[in-house]
Amino acid sequence: MKYLFLCFISLLACNETTKKNQVKDDSMVAAEVEKSAIVTGANQTDVYLKLLEGKNVGVVANQTSVIFKDESEQNHTHLVDSLLALGIKVTKVYSPEHGFRGTADAGEYIEDGIDEKTGLPIFSLYGKNRKPPKEFLKDIDVMLFDVQDVGVRFYTYISTLHYVMETAAELNIPVIILDRPNPNGHYIDGPILESEVKSFVGMHPVPIVYGMTIGEYGKMINGEKWLENGIQCELTVIPLRNYTYDSEYDLPIKPSPNLPNATSINLYPSVCFFEGTTLSCGRGTEMQFQVFGAPFLPKDKFDFSFTPEPNFGAKTPKHQGEECYGRDLRNVERLNEVKLDWLVETYNSTPDQKTFFNDFFPKLAGTKMLQKQIEEGVSIEDIKESWASGLESFAKTRAKYLMYN
């Protein structure tokens, strides 16, 4: 009876715990999930909180920037909310493409604003400024970067990382990256980016799929002196635990509106080529980057059809309201290469091949050569062979920065 009474008193005391202590307890539990599970950098508060205490902290974040409370990864709190509750002085938030809450279309201009929940100022890094001006970082002592990447060169979060590191280096502000798994970390493939087509969807001489976490990628940007004038920033990476490059990691939160699941993320490096053509890659459906098609493809050869309509993440999808004929890729086995078959097949099946490619295609491919090779009928095997020496050279560069061997 005495034992039950003591338990009851203990329960009452727990109910009186402050919000701050509740969040602290949650974060400590989150940092000690079962040893077999992948533990993100954000979850390891015991490692990085001491680097933030007593400092004005700027956070680059979006909807994926969370601390998980259990191994299921379904129960979580946003990193910014957690840091504030833990007494960390977060003073500014910076948002990449798709915005701080991850609701904007691909390429949609994002304004600066105020976060309704915390009242913090949000500085957009996908609007007027891609590189944060120095005044954006005024009075910041340390920059914390925590955004889920997908390991593909034309996914713009690594470009945002580059520019954050660059401004921070110019102001001697240290940068901390909270590492997260790369769902496409199990291979490297694709042509190496050529400088003549450098853009925000491809800034560095890497292949389309580079097989590195975003923390490793940050180390490579720094180590290879890719920042302007070869400057380097003071960089710390909080590493993952229990991660390997072959880990099949199903992202618990969509990294952007049009990558809804593991299949779309795995297909993305290959299907995204269609963004540089007259074909739809499924925007305006619930099968984004898992289907492709166009109204002009022959329906006897391409027997799957879909009709794009405006939806969350695609306000004006390509071929809106038109029935598109193409392929359904949702049951394709997990890819370990950049697959060109679908691109070549649709080019050869397009009635007006002169209009098939648009000006965006070389930026996605990272080279003007791939379009030329397809137009000239070069075999897929020979196209792949033309990538081999570049991939071999990149593999040596990549090896210097790998953290999870």
Side-chain angles (χ1 to χ4, degrees):
M1 193 68 183
K2 180 180 179 181
Y3 173 75
L4 291 175
F5 177 75
L6 290 174
C7 288
F8 177 70
I9 295 299
S10 176
L11 180 61
L12 288 177
C14 287
N15 288 337
E16 296 300 318
T17 303
T18 65
K19 178 181 178 183
K20 177 177 177 179
N21 286 336
Q22 286 176 341
V23 174
K24 187 171 182 179
D25 289 343
D26 286 340
S27 66
M28 294 310 174
V29 170
E32 295 300 329
V33 294
E34 290 192 22
K35 293 181 180 180
S36 61
I38 294 174
V39 182
T40 65
N43 264 55
Q44 298 177 62
T45 51
D46 57 321
V47 177
Y48 65 86
L49 282 184
K50 58 191 175 185
L51 305 176
L52 308 177
E53 290 172 350
K55 298 178 180 178
N56 293 330
V57 181
V59 181
V60 184
N62 66 3
Q63 76 285 353
T64 67
S65 311
V66 300
I67 293 177
F68 298 111
K69 294 184 178 182
D70 55 48
E71 189 178 348
S72 73
E73 297 188 337
Q74 300 304 309
N75 188 17
H76 52 74
T77 57
H78 196 280
L79 176 68
V80 171
D81 299 334
S82 297
L83 292 177
L84 290 171
L86 288 165
I88 300 300
K89 191 178 178 183
V90 178
T91 58
K92 297 177 183 177
V93 174
Y94 307 85
S95 63
E97 184 177 7
H98 306 295
F100 179 51
R101 298 297 177 183
T103 57
D105 285 6
E108 183 177 343
Y109 186 93
I110 299 172
E111 299 279 1
D112 298 342
I114 300 292
D115 180 42
E116 292 183 2
K117 184 171 183 179
T118 63
L120 289 171
I122 300 174
F123 295 88
S124 171
L125 301 181
Y126 200 82
K128 180 181 178 181
N129 301 290
R130 302 292 172 90
K131 176 180 175 178
K134 291 180 180 179
E135 57 265 28
F136 275 23
L137 274 61
K138 183 180 179 182
D139 301 324
I140 292 294
D141 298 317
V142 59
M143 289 291 289
L144 190 64
F145 189 102
D146 181 34
V147 177
Q148 176 65 60
D149 189 41
V150 299
V152 182
R153 186 185 64 220
F154 37 70
Y155 205 58
T156 62
Y157 297 155
I158 53 174
S159 298
T160 296
L161 174 63
H162 172 111
Y163 282 132
V164 168
M165 290 173 60
E166 195 166 270
T167 300
E170 292 166 356
L171 295 172
N172 295 312
I173 297 172
V175 175
I176 301 171
I177 301 175
L178 305 180
D179 213 3
R180 290 186 178 272
N182 176 0
N184 286 310
H186 56 293
Y187 71 103
I188 62 172
D189 200 14
I192 305 297
L193 179 95
E194 297 170 355
S195 59
E196 64 177 332
V197 292
K198 180 179 176 180
S199 72
F200 197 67
V201 294
M203 297 185 65
H204 310 117
V206 303
I208 289 173
V209 183
Y210 46 79
M212 305 172 78
T213 67
I214 198 162
E216 294 172 323
Y217 199 95
K219 289 176 60 180
M220 183 168 63
I221 290 173
N222 224 24
E224 295 303 304
K225 298 185 177 181
W226 288 339
L227 302 179
E228 190 173 11
N229 299 320
I231 59 174
Q232 294 175 297
C233 77
E234 180 184 334
L235 180 66
T236 300
V237 178
I238 306 302
L240 298 155
R241 295 211 313 254
N242 308 321
Y243 171 78
T244 72
Y245 300 102
D246 289 325
S247 299
E248 290 194 37
Y249 187 70
D250 192 351
L251 301 186
I253 300 171
K254 291 192 295 186
S256 55
N258 287 291
L259 289 181
N261 53 38
T263 300
S264 65
I265 291 168
N266 179 241
L267 289 166
Y268 178 68
S270 302
V271 177
C272 193
F273 282 131
F274 290 117
E275 298 276 71
T277 73
T278 50
L279 271 73
S280 165
C281 58
R283 293 185 189 273
T285 75
E286 298 301 319
M287 305 170 288
Q288 306 97 317
F289 293 100
Q290 300 158 84
V291 300
F292 63 83
F296 51 77
L297 290 178
K299 61 177 73 175
D300 59 333
K301 185 176 182 180
F302 297 90
D303 55 3
F304 178 76
S305 67
F306 60 93
T307 302
E309 298 289 355
N311 68 356
F312 177 77
K315 293 182 178 67
T316 55
K318 190 186 296 182
H319 299 306
Q320 179 177 328
E322 299 181 80
E323 188 171 14
C324 297
Y325 304 96
R327 295 265 188 268
D328 182 356
L329 309 176
R330 286 174 290 178
N331 293 318
V332 169
E333 292 186 9
R334 187 183 188 218
L335 297 181
N336 58 7
E337 65 169 333
V338 172
K339 196 168 181 64
L340 294 175
D341 304 58
W342 305 314
L343 182 65
V344 172
E345 180 188 27
T346 51
Y347 172 79
N348 290 334
S349 301
T350 297
D352 186 3
Q353 293 179 338
K354 291 181 180 179
T355 63
F356 182 81
F357 294 104
N358 60 41
D359 293 341
F360 191 44
F361 186 83
K363 294 179 180 180
L364 287 172
T367 174
K368 294 180 179 179
M369 181 57 67
L370 180 56
Q371 178 178 337
K372 187 171 184 290
Q373 289 170 320
I374 293 172
E375 290 173 340
E376 293 178 353
V378 177
S379 70
I380 292 173
E381 291 74 17
D382 287 344
I383 292 174
K384 291 266 189 174
E385 180 59 32
S386 72
W387 301 346
S389 62
L391 287 169
E392 183 179 357
S393 177
F394 170 74
K396 294 176 182 177
T397 300
R398 170 182 176 266
K400 295 187 288 184
Y401 305 103
L402 297 182
M403 300 168 58
Y404 307 103
N405 289 331

